[in-house]
Amino acid sequence: MSAREQLTGAMAELLWERGYAATSPRDVMARAGVGQGSMYHHFSGKHELAVEALSAVIGDATGEVSLLEGEGSPLERMKRYLSLPRPGTQGCRVGRMTQDPQVVTDAELITIVASAFDTMLGRWEQTIAEAVEAGELPASIRPADLARTLAAVIQGGYVLARAKGEQGPMDAAIRGALSLLDAAHSAVDADH
Amino acid sequence: MSAREQLTGAMAELLWERGYAATSPRDVMARAGVGQGSMYHHFSGKHELAVEALSAVIGDATGEVSLLEGEGSPLERMKRYLSLPRPGTQGCRVGRMTQDPQVVTDAELITIVASAFDTMLGRWEQTIAEAVEAGELPASIRPADLARTLAAVIQGGYVLARAKGEQGPMDAAIRGALSLLDAAHSAVDADH
């Protein structure tokens, strides 16, 4: 790995472990094993480091949203994506950033986070619209709303799992969402 | 207000604005307008201050969960509680704490947060069980799961709203949950 990659990786770890405010450029250099000359050759400071680290984390996280496309009916794909293993107590590396007071008030950092959520919500919305179109979900479901509901179940599942220090609440939140989707699906069948 | 209350209030504000790591006892004294002698007369340090501040915040937050009890059918009460105004971009003062790395690793602080969530989830679970019992929701719904799903929608709604800096995603997440509950309700009617 290059010094630049080592610094970015160290910043991503420290953002995650300690948050933005509690991470100093000195901490990042120590974690990366990179000296001050190299650090300030690559980055003007903590802000620029955070921009690059956050972008890298988000690139990894948004990859899995592609599971909303591919094989299976729209409702099957929605359920498959909801059912992905998610280590709840670790939390979501992207969602966490919205709870970091220094990240939310930094226009550039929060824009990176917002745009990652927009990509993910766009995929959700499209897949839900397909499910309604295919008669798998009732026409009363608004795709833009349900996209945010289901994304919120995942993000909130992390919050509940971290509050308890257990995986259970995340899995339960997902099971409950799947059972509501199944019930909504059977409401369509009933209308037919 | 007593010096003790001023210190607790200042700690609650700073926990919220900056997080635990970025808040020093000196910051709390400055915000409270209280001197060092008084501060260390009341509190051994930052940890003890945080315990008391967090307990006060949680007392305020858990009060509104009582809306799950009271007038109306169980499903009406669930929908009423979901529809409470929630300033999404401010975030949840309790949920936020689960994303603070220093709070999660502090056994005493995270226990206070976990117990607040337990109280809230217990009320949800009981109300959902009543809705299933009353035939307002299908028997396939497990109250312990759906309790976590609906609590997650609220917590995740805050995450999405903060990511965008807008109220919209919170309101959309709630509307989507209400439409799923309505669809699940009509699935019961269909079975009858």
Side-chain angles (χ1 to χ4, degrees), chain A residues 17 98 101 145 149 162 173 175, chain B residues 17 98 101 145 149 162 173 175:
Chain A
E17 292 168 21
T98 68
D145 289 348
T149 305
R162 283 176 66 83
R175 278 196 308 269
Chain B
E17 292 168 22
T98 68
D145 290 348
T149 305
R162 284 176 66 84
R175 279 196 307 269

Side-chain angles (χ1 to χ4, degrees), chain A residues 15-19 21-22 89 91-92 95-96 98-102 104 110-111 113-114 117-118 120-121 137-138 140-142 144-160 162-165 168-169 171-177 179-181 183-184 186-187 190-191, chain B residues 15-19 21-22 89 91-92 95-96 98-102 104 110-111 113-115 117-118 120-121 137-138 140-142 144-160 162-165 168-169 171-177 179-181 183-184 186-187 190:
Chain A
L15 264 179
W16 178 244
E17 292 168 21
R18 304 183 191 173
T89 55
C92 170
R96 163 90 70 83
T98 68
Q99 308 299 310
D100 187 316
Q102 280 75 19
V104 171
I110 194 64
T111 299
V113 173
F117 273 109
D118 283 342
M120 183 263 291
L121 289 167
L137 289 176
S140 57
I141 297 289
R142 292 171 58 181
D145 289 348
L146 189 59
R148 281 149 187 87
T149 305
L150 297 177
V153 169
I154 295 172
Q155 289 297 323
Y158 284 118
V159 173
L160 299 179
R162 283 176 66 83
K164 291 292 283 184
D171 294 340
I174 297 293
R175 278 196 308 269
S179 69
L180 274 184
L181 287 173
S186 68
D191 291 346
Chain B
L15 264 179
W16 177 244
E17 292 168 22
R18 305 183 190 172
T89 55
C92 171
R96 162 91 68 83
T98 68
Q99 308 300 310
D100 187 316
Q102 280 75 19
V104 171
I110 194 63
T111 300
V113 174
S115 123
F117 274 108
D118 283 342
M120 183 263 290
L121 290 167
L137 288 176
S140 57
I141 297 289
R142 292 170 58 180
D145 290 348
L146 190 58
R148 281 149 187 87
T149 305
L150 297 177
V153 169
I154 296 172
Q155 289 297 323
Y158 284 117
V159 173
L160 300 179
R162 284 176 66 84
K164 291 291 283 183
D171 293 340
I174 297 293
R175 279 196 307 269
S179 70
L180 275 184
L181 287 173
S186 68

Side-chain angles (χ1 to χ4, degrees), chain B residues 3-4 6-8 10-11 23-50:
Chain B
R4 184 177 193 101
Q6 281 175 312
L7 287 161
T8 308
M11 184 66 188
T23 299
S24 70
R26 185 173 297 274
D27 297 330
V28 180
M29 289 184 274
R31 175 72 63 103
V34 164
Q36 195 159 345
S38 176
M39 156 88 179
Y40 289 103
H41 171 70
H42 289 293
F43 296 101
S44 61
K46 182 166 133 173
H47 173 82
E48 207 183 312
L49 255 169

Side-chain angles (χ1 to χ4, degrees), chain B residues 11-81:
Chain B
M11 184 66 188
E13 286 174 17
L14 290 167
L15 264 179
W16 177 244
E17 292 168 22
R18 305 183 190 172
Y20 189 61
T23 299
S24 70
R26 185 173 297 274
D27 297 330
V28 180
M29 289 184 274
R31 175 72 63 103
V34 164
Q36 195 159 345
S38 176
M39 156 88 179
Y40 289 103
H41 171 70
H42 289 293
F43 296 101
S44 61
K46 182 166 133 173
H47 173 82
E48 207 183 312
L49 255 169
V51 167
E52 191 154 319
L54 201 50
S55 303
V57 164
I58 280 172
D60 294 345
T62 50
E64 75 172 21
V65 187
S66 64
L67 275 172
L68 280 170
E69 296 161 355
E71 301 273 307
S73 79
L75 184 57
E76 281 164 7
R77 285 181 267 132
M78 290 168 60
K79 292 171 71 172
R80 187 171 63 209
Y81 178 70

